[in-house]
Amino acid sequence: MSDEQELGITESKQYNTGEWYAEVVQKAGLANYGPEGMSGFIVTRPRAYALWERVQDHLDSEFKRTGVQNAYFPLFIPEQYLEREKDIVEGFDPEVAWVTHAGQEELDERLAVRPTSESIIAPYMSQWVRSHRDLPLRVNQWASVVRWEATETKPFFRTKEFLWQEGHTAHATDESAWEETMMRLDQYAAMYEDLLAIPVLRGAKPEHDKFPGAKKTTTVEALMPDGKSVQAGTSHHLGTSFAEAFDLYYTDEDEDEQVAHTTSWGLSWRALGALIMTHSDDQGLVLPPTVAPEQVVVVPIWQADTQEKVLDYAESIAEELESDGVRVELDDRDERNPGFKFNEWELKGVPVRFEIGPNEVDDEVVTVVHRPDGESKEVPREDIAETVREEFDEVYAKLYATAEENLAENVREADSRADILGTIGQHGGYVKAPWCGDEDCETEIKDQLAAEIVMVPLRDEEAEIHDGEDCAVCGEDAEETAYFAKSY
Ligand SMILES: [Zn+2]
């Protein structure tokens, strides 16, 4: 087998999505599986971590701009803390990893490896808040959590430990907590749309699927090309349940004691899974220029008699781009031919390629190739740092348009049980159907097709529910519109 075959992707995205995804993740150098005996854990390689850092940078600056400070809480939560909010215990109990020993000695009280941190953050918030002047209080932590799910490992989509951020806030009023919940949801949606070139739907989780202890869970959902939905970030209005459980009270302007209202919101490295799955193809990884570790690769193409002038020209371009803040790689390896280099950088997802041979030097131009669709054109050498940014915008717009088209074409309506099953079975995507609100009606669909209600519209968008409609599954009066889909 030649190097080029070993390097390339052999699975088909369309016909073998799961295997294709695993191959892209490994061959593009993003992640390795964890050691034997630790299924469900992955090693995040530098190229993937660099993508995570772009997500972090974007969100972190948005959080700080809107009043959030970063903090850090312990990895472990004492069992009695976890038990103080009963819904959290019930909700996470089957997935909690416990520490029972330190060396040979058994601990007096076992410690949970955090599955989420409300139970250790809320009690400290209660120490920090005295009066209404301390509110709103907003902290965020960048951390990892562990949820011991016994499902098949899928790097960045399903792992027992995952990287995320979790924001936690306390407010004087219910209204302020709700506004916070929606602001964070909007920031998540904007991150997907402005940084990752992925359009998302905003909605709420159905009552039976909200975060344990929450009053309302809101979600952004992204549709993958294989027709499955990714829960891409969630923001929870927690009401007063955690504040009551952890004595988070404040004195109001009349010196009366009041219970606080809290929120929490989290986005994980699932964002990377969605990024890889959405844009990549049978040649490998495809990344938008906003997050790509290398935004441009410059590939000089020379013969012995043109080597010097081609390399000088290519170097001057790479230097100019670099000094202008563009992330650029000059691939002047002597031992590899241009075709090999093209394939390798395509596999790694570099969004823009510059091809430079003797003709480009003579004509004072650069041949530009877009990774997503192979579009190729000549642009003037002059003002190249400015031109390349226009190319980045074009590549971004192409990626976004493809994803947006996939979403627009794959939201369908159904008004009967058979119609829901048939439509999802045939096309995947979202199927909107009037729903009575009863979990049993979801279970009927779930049992047959592994599709669930991934969201219902947010309250202010409920205009789309028509009076007199019946639940598509049971025929009782419909209460809301359910979005059924298979999901990651
Ligand atoms: Zn029903």
Side-chain angles (χ1 to χ4, degrees), residues 436 441 471 474:
C436 63
C441 290
C471 173
C474 72

Side-chain angles (χ1 to χ4, degrees), residues 13 20-21 24-25 30 51 155-156 198 271-281 285-287:
K13 181 179 188 181
W20 164 86
Y21 177 82
V24 170
V25 164
L30 300 174
L51 298 174
F156 309 116
I198 302 175
L272 303 189
L275 174 71
I276 299 160
M277 183 67 89
T278 298
H279 304 303
S280 304
D281 59 23
L285 189 63
V286 176
L287 296 171

Side-chain angles (χ1 to χ4, degrees), residues 312-325:
D312 284 351
Y313 187 80
E315 272 164 24
S316 82
I317 286 170
E319 278 165 20
E320 186 173 330
L321 293 183
E322 192 169 7
S323 68
D324 206 63

Side-chain angles (χ1 to χ4, degrees), residues 118 122 125 168-171 173 177 181 236-243 248 260-264:
E118 284 77 6
M125 283 182 142
H168 299 263
T169 67
H171 305 259
T173 65
T181 306
H236 316 290
H237 182 7
L238 300 175
T240 57
S241 59
F242 284 89
L248 179 42
H261 303 257
T262 66
T263 78
S264 68

